[in-house]
């Protein structure tokens, strides 16, 4: 899923100069930290360093992220529909899921506090970067229309 999301965002493989998606991920992230991520095809768990910045969730092999770092993957949060706890789905403590219309990715944090902080941070980012934000002009107020 991450590879297909990556290609949808940047139009190509997840390497090279466009790897950052135009985001300075190495500088002042909204949130960063270690999470265990389930692989897309081989469902093993890998520990990765995640960086959330400007509506994109990047992951790397290690925490020494610099300008020269190339993300192992990226998820544009605007394409995400939900982020929620998933302990019951995975039968693992501190698990959460991030879902798009096509796929669901699973993560495991190191503690309940970190899980909740990631869910809150990603949730805020989804709301901030969603393309489905309703403007005042699009709101229908049925109470203000004349009676029929």
């Amino acid at each position: 899923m991450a590879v297909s999301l990556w290609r949808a965002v940047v139009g190509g493989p997840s390497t090279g100069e466009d790897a950052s998606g135009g985001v300075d991920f190495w500088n002042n992230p909204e949130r960063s930290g270690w999470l265990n991520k389930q692989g897309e095809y081989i469902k093993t768990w890998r520990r990765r360093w995640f960086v959330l910045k400007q509506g994109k969730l990047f992951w790397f092999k290690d925490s020494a992220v610099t300008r020269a770092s190339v993300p192992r993957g990226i998820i544009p949060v605007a394409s995400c529909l939900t982020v929620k706890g998933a302990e019951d789905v995975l039968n693992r403590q501190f698990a959460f899921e991030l879902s798009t219309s096509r796929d669901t990715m699973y993560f495991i944090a190191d503690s309940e506090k970190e899980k909740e902080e990631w869910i809150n941070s990603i949730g805020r980012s989804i709301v901030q970067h969603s393309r489905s934000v309703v403007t005042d002009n699009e709101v229908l107020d049925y109470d203000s229309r004349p009676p029929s």
Side-chain angles (χ1 to χ4, degrees), residues 35-39 42-46 84-99 104-109 115 119:
L35 291 170
N36 291 300
K37 177 191 156 307
Q38 192 175 41
I42 301 171
K43 301 297 184 187
T44 57
W45 291 95
R46 306 237 184 220
K84 61 185 179 182
E87 288 96 343
D88 54 339
V89 175
L90 296 176
N91 200 23
R92 289 183 179 238
Q93 206 174 20
F94 318 134
F96 66 97
E97 65 182 52
L98 185 56
S99 298
T104 300
M105 292 184 73
Y106 294 100
F107 306 90
I108 299 175
K115 179 192 92 168
I119 289 173

Side-chain angles (χ1 to χ4, degrees), residues 35-140:
L35 291 170
N36 291 300
K37 177 191 156 307
Q38 192 175 41
E40 183 179 1
Y41 300 110
I42 301 171
K43 301 297 184 187
T44 57
W45 291 95
R46 306 237 184 220
R47 192 158 173 82
R48 297 290 185 238
W49 182 258
F50 281 81
V51 172
L52 177 65
K53 185 162 182 188
Q54 294 177 336
K56 293 181 174 63
L57 183 62
F58 301 90
W59 67 91
F60 304 86
K61 262 194 163 175
D62 63 56
S63 61
V65 176
T66 67
R67 180 185 301 261
S69 297
V70 176
R72 306 276 303 173
I74 180 174
I75 302 169
V77 297
S79 69
C80 297
L81 303 173
T82 61
V83 58
K84 61 185 179 182
E87 288 96 343
D88 54 339
V89 175
L90 296 176
N91 200 23
R92 289 183 179 238
Q93 206 174 20
F94 318 134
F96 66 97
E97 65 182 52
L98 185 56
S99 298
T100 68
S101 59
R102 287 194 203 147
D103 297 297
T104 300
M105 292 184 73
Y106 294 100
F107 306 90
I108 299 175
D110 291 339
S111 68
E112 181 67 23
K113 181 178 186 280
E114 284 191 28
K115 179 192 92 168
E116 292 300 326
E117 288 173 353
W118 274 107
I119 289 173
N120 291 336
S121 296
I122 294 169
R124 270 193 306 275
S125 190
I126 290 171
V127 170
Q128 289 170 353
H129 296 94
S130 172
R131 294 185 186 98
S132 62
V133 174
V134 177
T135 66
D136 287 341
N137 295 337
E138 296 171 321
V139 173
L140 294 175

